[in-house]
Each structure stands twice: as C-alpha cells, then as structure tokens.
C-alpha cells in the first residue's frame, strides 16, 4: 500500500498553525495594550513625585480663617477671599480699609483670609507660622493685628524675626508651650503651604489678591471696591 503525500493537507496544517500563532500574538498585544492603559490611568491619578490623590485647588477650605461671626447655617450670601503676605507693604497699607469693609458689611459679606507668603520676603513665612500658631489658640485676628501694627519694625529686615514674633505671642497671653509646639509642627508649615499652592493654582501672583464670590477682582480704588461688593449683594 502506497502512502500518498497530499500537498493540500500539509498546506492546511501549515495555515492553521500560522493562524494560531497570529491569534496568540494578537492576544498578547491586546493584553500588553490593556496593561499599558491601566498603568497610564494609575499614573495620571498621582501627584508629582509619586504621591497618589493630588489635592485639587480650593478657594476656601474647611480650615480657612473667616473673619466674620456669621453662623455656618446662615452664611453670608457674598464671600470675599483675600490672599495676604504679612511682610507685604501693600497688604499693610490696605488693612485699615479692609477693617472698614468688615465693619460696614458685617453679617452681609463673609470675609476669608488665606496665607500667601512670597518667596522673596525673608520673614513672610515666619510671620505666617506665628499667626497660624496663634490661630490654633483662637487668636488669629489678634496676632494678625499685631503683625500689621509692628510691620515697620520688622517688615524690611533680612534677619529671621521668629524670636520677635514669639514675644508678640507672649504679650497676647498665649500658651507658649502650645505656641512653640505649633511652630515646630510640620503640619503648621503644611497648612500654610497648602494656602500658597491653592493661590498659585488659582492664579494668584502677588498680594493682596481678592476673590469675590469665586471671581478674581482687581478694584481700581476704594470706591470701586465698595461698588463691587454692593453689586454682588444686589445680585
């Protein structure tokens, strides 16, 4: 009995083998592509430096300092957020007017202050740390007032003024052990840094910078500023 070699039969086996290899190759490509996509999504959800869950910028956070006594249940309908640097001379110059606004619009405008220590100022961060340490004892406004009142004594110094700021806290009758602990706590620096980073993300480039109901405003003068507040209240 003779064995006949069937070319078509052997060709069929070769074709099937080729298709199987191609199918496996395509499957491998799909798996690799899917894995790459998953990795890309995972990396996209990370902050620079590899930290997962980057915190989005916020105009007002739960720990932002409000200079109004409006209860949260009846929050004033208009909100003014001010980014400040305690070493900034323009900030110091505008504070008397800001005090007037807070008095004149009390109960109608929610005034919020956030830190924005400019890198070029030698003591802006130290001042913010001192004010935040005082704020942890309920004395944000009192310490801020002292900073503005004494600005002429330390505002142009290139030397660290932490000891002077500590004496301000002592004069206010604060618990100095708690104050020192707050200044040394990395969480205090992180709190201030979060304000600064939010400001940068929101378009703040200098101080003072104001947001009225979430919109960056640049009033030309005091009359214009009051007009903006009145218009916001009227709307």
């Amino acid at each position: 009995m003779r064995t006949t070699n069937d070319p078509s039969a052997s060709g069929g086996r070769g074709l099937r083998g080729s298709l199987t290899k191609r199918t496996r190759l395509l499957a491998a490509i799909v798996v690799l592509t899917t894995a790459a996509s998953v990795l890309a999504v995972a990396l996209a959800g990370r902050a620079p430096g590899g930290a997962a869950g980057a915190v989005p910028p916020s105009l007002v956070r739960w720990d932002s300092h409000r200079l109004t006594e409006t209860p949260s249940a009846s929050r004033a309908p208009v909100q003014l957020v001010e980014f400040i640097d305690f070493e900034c001379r323009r900030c110091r110059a505008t504070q008397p007017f800001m005090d007037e606004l807070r008095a004149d619009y009390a109960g109608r405008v929610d005034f919020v202050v956030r830190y924005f220590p400019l890198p070029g100022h030698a003591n802006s961060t130290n001042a913010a740390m001192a004010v935040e340490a005082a704020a942890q004892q309920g004395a944000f406004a009192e310490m801020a007032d002292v900073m503005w009142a004494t600005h002429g004594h330390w505002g142009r110094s290139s030397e660290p003024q932490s000891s002077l700021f500590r004496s301000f806290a002592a004069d206010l009758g604060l618990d100095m052990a708690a104050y020192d602990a707050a200044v040394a706590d990395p969480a205090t620096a992180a709190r201030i840094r979060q304000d600064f980073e939010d400001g940068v993300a929101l378009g703040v480039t200098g101080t003072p910078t104001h947001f009225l109901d979430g919109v960056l405003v640049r009033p030309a003068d005091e009359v214009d500023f009051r007009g903006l507040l009145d218009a916001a209240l009227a709307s």
Side-chain angles (χ1 to χ4, degrees), residues 29-46:
I29 291 173
V30 170
V31 171
L32 290 174
T33 302
T34 302
S37 298
V38 171
L39 179 60
V41 171
L43 290 176
R46 291 179 176 271

Side-chain angles (χ1 to χ4, degrees), residues 146-215:
V146 173
M147 288 294 180
W148 299 131
T150 60
H151 188 274
H153 299 289
W154 62 268
R156 297 182 181 181
S157 176
S158 60
E159 299 297 323
Q161 298 295 310
S162 299
S163 296
L164 177 63
F165 299 156
R166 187 178 188 278
S167 72
F168 295 162
D171 290 343
L172 289 174
L174 300 183
D175 180 331
M176 296 311 297
Y179 173 89
D180 291 338
V183 170
D185 189 350
T188 304
R191 162 74 176 74
I192 295 167
R193 186 169 59 251
Q194 184 66 70
D195 270 14
F196 180 83
E197 291 175 354
D198 279 350
V200 170
L202 292 165
V204 178
T205 57
T207 55
T209 294
H210 301 92
F211 289 83
L212 181 58
D213 283 346
V215 178

